[in-house]
Amino acid sequence: MARDASRVEAFSDAVIAIVLTLMAVELLQFSPDAPNGHGLAAALAHEWRSYLAYVITFGIVGQVWLTHHNMWRYVCRVDQMLLVLNLLLLMFVAAIPFTANLLSDNLRGAAVEQRLSAALYVGTVLGEALFFNLSWWWARRRGLLHPDLDPRLAKAVARRFLLGPLLYLVAFAVVFVDPILSLLAYLLLIALYLIRGPGDLPPAGREAAEPG
Amino acid sequence: MARDASRVEAFSDAVIAIVLTLMAVELLQFSPDAPNGHGLAAALAHEWRSYLAYVITFGIVGQVWLTHHNMWRYVCRVDQMLLVLNLLLLMFVAAIPFTANLLSDNLRGAAVEQRLSAALYVGTVLGEALFFNLSWWWARRRGLLHPDLDPRLAKAVARRFLLGPLLYLVAFAVVFVDPILSLLAYLLLIALYLIRGPGDLPPAGREAAEPG
Amino acid sequence: MARDASRVEAFSDAVIAIVLTLMAVELLQFSPDAPNGHGLAAALAHEWRSYLAYVITFGIVGQVWLTHHNMWRYVCRVDQMLLVLNLLLLMFVAAIPFTANLLSDNLRGAAVEQRLSAALYVGTVLGEALFFNLSWWWARRRGLLHPDLDPRLAKAVARRFLLGPLLYLVAFAVVFVDPILSLLAYLLLIALYLIRGPGDLPPAGREAAEPG
Amino acid sequence: MARDASRVEAFSDAVIAIVLTLMAVELLQFSPDAPNGHGLAAALAHEWRSYLAYVITFGIVGQVWLTHHNMWRYVCRVDQMLLVLNLLLLMFVAAIPFTANLLSDNLRGAAVEQRLSAALYVGTVLGEALFFNLSWWWARRRGLLHPDLDPRLAKAVARRFLLGPLLYLVAFAVVFVDPILSLLAYLLLIALYLIRGPGDLPPAGREAAEPG
């Protein structure tokens, strides 16, 4: 049984790891319209938005991994539907490098293109968050979670998963004020999210009452 | 012994995970002949066939993973031939992003090119399905499956594996009517396939009588 | 202890899996000098050497994985040097898509370029084979293999590992006759190699006397 | 518990494996300004700096894997902060192919561009080293290491982790003398580093007193 869940984890890890690394390939480069005539320093400076997008998107995908890691610790059985929900989650995660690249390419563009690419970016992030929520809801409903998991903790995790999409929508909305501010809002959110909440790993030192 | 099978699973997972992610890189982009002069929205709209191809190919490769996951739960020993059959399966899976990209690039082309690229696409999918069939047949014949596996279940899985290629050929044949309809037929097939059949994970709640 | 070896296996598997998949990206494409004006069928036909190179290189790298899988079943402890030898092995494996691509691009070129690219290709394959030999020699010498492994089997595996590079050199030498014949010689070798030899997985049915 | 650490290892392995392989893709190619008119041999000779950069960067990233492997053998529990520190480490590792490519492209450039790209390269390597130090410091402070680990060994490992960044800075400084000499200094450092120090795997033959 545990073996089933661990194969899902390994597969999801591989997809997330590749997404993290491909993002580096897509975002850490000179765009074709860089003013190459002005030397390396100028070309790099011209690309700073891409490098900021790399850091933020690494933060978002890194947090996807953390959340996946924390959530799947409690899953002790899988069924066909949970696997399908996890694949749909990964379909959105795999699209993040594309939308992140689109966003960083359009940060300098017209307001309408900034907003469209920001909407696509938040769309992939929301799609990923949606399937986290559905996975957790399905696993709770179908009794796939570890029997020793406190139902109140399971409920608190569900509430926390609902919060994520709302916060991302706020960060997205800032694009109507300023696209760079919007990226910084994502960064702030990720930092906030890393403050421990229900379902996270317990702080070390205190003996973990975790299942498994 | 179990260790042998688990290394095969981990390796196959890695290949499939990379294929899923590379597909995003190949399909989620602007093609060089996009009418760049008309703004981001027009350029994205122009590429909708690629995005549909991404969703469908993610569905097909995701289903390859599901099938691999379900099948290998029953394999408790491996021999050289089973490893070779699995490598040949992966050779076709690794070619899917190429043929998917070829297909999505030629959906707007002449009828002959639509059909040729659809034939190549279904060719890689059929190659993959062929080696699933051969793997299962070999594993059954050589006694590599878990001894507690009900022979009737093993036979039902074999029948189900034979059905897959037939359905894919039907979806391919629709390309002679309309190439977009053909893609939608694939999508329908994937959805149908996800309805639980023999060899799938048992629905949660009912106690699993699975080996291992 | 076993955990150390299993992490090395997982890491090597990931590198080999990525190499297999990237090879598809590098070899399965239209080269920039394809006669695009003549339709899809002509363009694909023009690239058949690349597709042959894909199949052969998939065969070679697939066999690297098989050999790695078979060899590491006997390794029950690792030391720093064995890890370094394994990393050097992976350095050559990771270079194979590059030299395979170089070879397939130059199969149509002048005789001197055919031979140079064939030499580079066989160079990466020989480098990989060299570090298999060194890994096995080191593991035997330092007592890192499973204590129950028959020393005669360990010696037979060592002899078999020495044979590989010699056969690859023969396939390379055929390039002086004809480059396509040389590729076919590789294909023949891979097929020969898959016939079971010492150190391979025992055929199923007969009870495995394998360690671990 | 051990399961948590092993998922972190598998995930980090996947990222490092992809970085190693992508590096081959980025560094092992013809740069667009290669004098194509002069045949394959001349083009390859023209690119020797890239191939040297491949070997050295493979050495550096290979050593990251070795260090990660050696360090995480002692980690028996994880908390949220350790996971975040590990993700930040991976963020720098994933950026290494980009800075390595930048460096190899600029080795022929003006002195100012050589130094800038060398500084960016050493920056990613130092960032990676910094988060190794922080991870180890955090794991020691929070009692996440194996209880049987000798505190003197833990301290010796911490000292060794501090030495790494200093040595990399020395190799970087050589760029002010000659950029190729600087690359060779990295190569020397990697070789030195592989000589066994505290926290490495014990040499085989001597019974390992390792935890876990």
Side-chain angles (χ1 to χ4, degrees), chain B residues 1 3-5 7-8 10-11 14-15 18-19 22 26 77-80 83-84 86-88 90-95 97-98 102 106 112-114 116-117 120 138 142-144, chain C residues 9 12-14 16-18 20-22 24-25 28-30 39-41 44 51 54-55 58 62 65-66 68-70 72-73 194 200-208 210 212:
Chain B
M1 297 285 206
R3 195 178 137 247
D4 275 339
R7 189 169 172 193
V8 179
F11 177 69
V15 171
I18 301 157
V19 167
L22 280 178
E26 300 226 348
R77 281 192 308 148
V78 296
D79 64 2
Q80 187 87 349
L83 294 181
V84 171
N86 191 59
L87 278 170
L88 291 169
L90 295 176
M91 189 172 83
F92 280 94
V93 173
F98 168 65
L102 213 60
N106 286 284
V112 62
E113 307 206 330
Q114 285 172 3
L116 177 57
S117 58
L120 288 168
W138 183 263
R142 289 296 174 121
L144 305 174
Chain C
E9 289 181 353
S12 308
D13 278 4
I16 298 171
I18 301 156
L20 280 179
T21 325
L22 280 178
V25 173
L28 299 179
Q29 57 186 11
F30 298 109
L40 179 63
L44 287 169
Y51 308 142
Y54 171 66
V55 172
F58 203 102
W65 181 77
L66 271 177
H68 201 275
H69 176 90
N70 287 337
W72 281 82
R73 284 187 311 144
L194 293 180
D200 283 348
L201 289 172
R206 183 150 73 76
E207 195 38 56
E210 74 184 274

Side-chain angles (χ1 to χ4, degrees), chain A residues 80-115:
Chain A
Q80 186 88 347
M81 178 58 83
L82 188 61
L83 294 180
V84 171
L85 291 174
N86 191 58
L87 278 170
L88 290 170
L89 164 70
L90 294 176
M91 189 172 83
F92 280 93
V93 173
I96 288 179
F98 169 65
T99 56
N101 197 21
L102 213 60
L103 178 60
S104 83
D105 280 357
N106 286 285
L107 283 177
R108 285 184 297 273
V112 61
E113 307 206 332
Q114 286 171 2
R115 287 162 198 179

Side-chain angles (χ1 to χ4, degrees), chain A residues 9 13 17-18 20-21 24-25 28 30 39-41 44 51 54 58 62 65-66 68-70 72-73 200-202 204-205 207 210, chain D residues 1 3-4 7-8 11 14-15 18-19 22 26 77-80 83-84 87 90-91 94-95 98 102 106 113 116-117 120 142 144:
Chain A
E9 289 182 353
D13 277 4
I18 301 156
L20 279 178
T21 325
V25 174
L28 299 180
F30 298 110
L40 179 63
L44 288 168
Y51 308 142
Y54 172 66
F58 203 101
W65 182 77
L66 272 177
H68 201 274
H69 176 90
N70 287 337
W72 281 81
R73 283 185 314 143
D200 283 348
L201 289 172
E207 196 39 55
E210 78 184 271
Chain D
M1 298 287 206
R3 196 176 138 248
D4 275 338
R7 189 171 173 191
V8 179
F11 178 69
V15 172
I18 302 157
V19 166
L22 280 179
E26 300 226 347
R77 281 193 307 150
V78 294
D79 65 2
Q80 186 88 347
L83 294 181
V84 171
L87 278 170
L90 294 176
M91 189 172 84
F98 169 65
L102 213 61
N106 285 284
E113 306 205 333
L116 177 58
S117 58
L120 287 169
R142 288 298 175 119
L144 304 175

